[in-house]
Amino acid sequence: MTKLRAAIYARHSTDKQNASSSADQSSACEVLVQQLNGVTVGIYEDPEVSGYRRDRPGLLRMLRDVASGEIDVIVCEALDRIARDGEDINWLGKKLSYHRTRLVTATEGEIDEIKLAVAGLLGSLFLTNLRTKTVRGLKAAVLAGRLAGGRAYGYRKVVRDDGYGNVINGVFEIDEAQAEVVRRIYREFAAGRSSIQIATGLNADAIPGPRCGEWNASTIRGDPKKLVGILNNPLYAGVIVWGRREWRKNPDSDRRERRYRLRDEAEWTTVEVRDLRIVDPKLVDQVRREIGNRRRVGAAPSNRARHLLSGLIRCGECGGNYTIAGKDYYRCSRNRERGTCNSAGSIRAAQIEGPVLAALQTRLLTPDLVKLFTEEFRREVDRLNRSHGEAEAQAKKRLSALETEIVNLAQHFLAGTVSATLAAMLADREAEKVQLERQIATKVSEEPTVVPHPTLIATYERKVARLRDALNQEDIRAEAIATLRELITSITVFAASDDVPRTLEAEASTATLINFARTPNAPRRKAGGRSIEVVAGVGFEPTTFRL
């Protein structure tokens, strides 16, 4: 028999586990590969990566090889190594079923639809149970006067056991060196200094920030409503406030980024811990009054539209972000809020936005660039067609084998050998035949539609011009800004020198620009099929232009 092409997948979650855990899983799975009469064609590992993430590098590489028809069976230690969340388990099962790839684990054996369904149910119950127990344990720690979150600046962790050899988590004590920095921040703010001035002074004195980097004004100022920031942390006044935020994982993100909302104050847990107090209560009260005095009384929330290039501009001197400083000026945030960048000049928004829009319309997409992109695009499509051709050949080979099996089963029925097992086998094969025939019939090769033609350039320039006009129309300005921002990757501002004036460098994705030109009347919608996006993984360089 032809040996099965087997892929071994291994994963462990955190650096607290054995560093060789994934490698040990791979070695153990080799025995299972031999039992399956297989040969290992690839080992895919994701050490120190959570099983709740879909964007694991090892998993994605393995799924790409599965889609290319290079793998017959996936072998892993247990199903929870490859997926934990019920939705992810079903998602993975559908992918493997579509590509006719088996999944076998050392713990559960071969994974079928029933085991997938059971694993999804058990996974959901496990997560709910774990969440409930974790929250209960954290609340108990807080009520006992221990910290349930990470270490706050000004404190250091204390290793303490319960007398039975078990480490008690959440025990901290004051770090006097850092505590004095906290007191300095409170004293200077109460004396009238701004958070920017305080951060600049700390950086000038080479005092490391909370993460051993530079101090930032936002780290000091924070948000009084959310109780974040050095000036708003109630722990410095000797009070633990726990349960302010309710965390949720974003189901639309492969990384499962966590988002939160603030709970009502009635749901917060507050515990006084005088031994962790760093700042005198009188000084805390002075700071809170100062924060209140500086807040604009009765100021209405700003409805100002988002600036066109906010978040896209970088400083050529230090690599930091340029942010709005004043009404219509951009300035390096590291210079403004930290005092650690020498690029001190501000630049008007119009001085950046005007040249960038002009370059976006006439210089970032040229005939030569379209020609180069099209050649790269065609090479990628050819590669995909070859891969799809191999998969189609395998499907046709399987279809031929199915037809032979169906004929043989039919012969048994003609001979009078009828049983429930034979009937089920015949039904399964006929259903699989229908699926393969549909798959082969609908596999139409999509040729690239991008051509180095002057019409494409003219269409692109015309559509950008319409977007520029839309910036002056309030009812569609927000949509025009969002579309233009998708076309620009980044803008770098280089400071002027004795013989060189200040310059800007705009960068954009060539694929995005061409896709924008191709898509009629829907600039923000992705083109269908296997169009521009096939070049995303081949390393095509973005286009840049200096202004």
Side-chain angles (χ1 to χ4, degrees), residues 9 11 36 71 115 128 178 399 493 507 543:
Y9 181 79
R11 180 194 63 80
L36 294 171
I71 297 172
K115 289 183 179 179
T128 302
Q178 293 183 356
L399 181 60
V493 178
E507 180 176 302
T543 177

Side-chain angles (χ1 to χ4, degrees), residues 34 61 93 106 112 218 239 257 282 312 336 341 374-375 403 409 448 450 463 471 507 532 539:
Q34 295 175 7
R61 282 192 300 107
D112 54 20
S218 60
V239 178
E257 289 100 344
K282 292 183 180 180
L312 298 176
R336 180 170 176 256
C341 176
T374 303
E375 293 172 354
E403 290 172 344
L409 289 169
V450 177
K463 293 177 75 172
L471 293 176
E507 180 176 302
I532 303 300

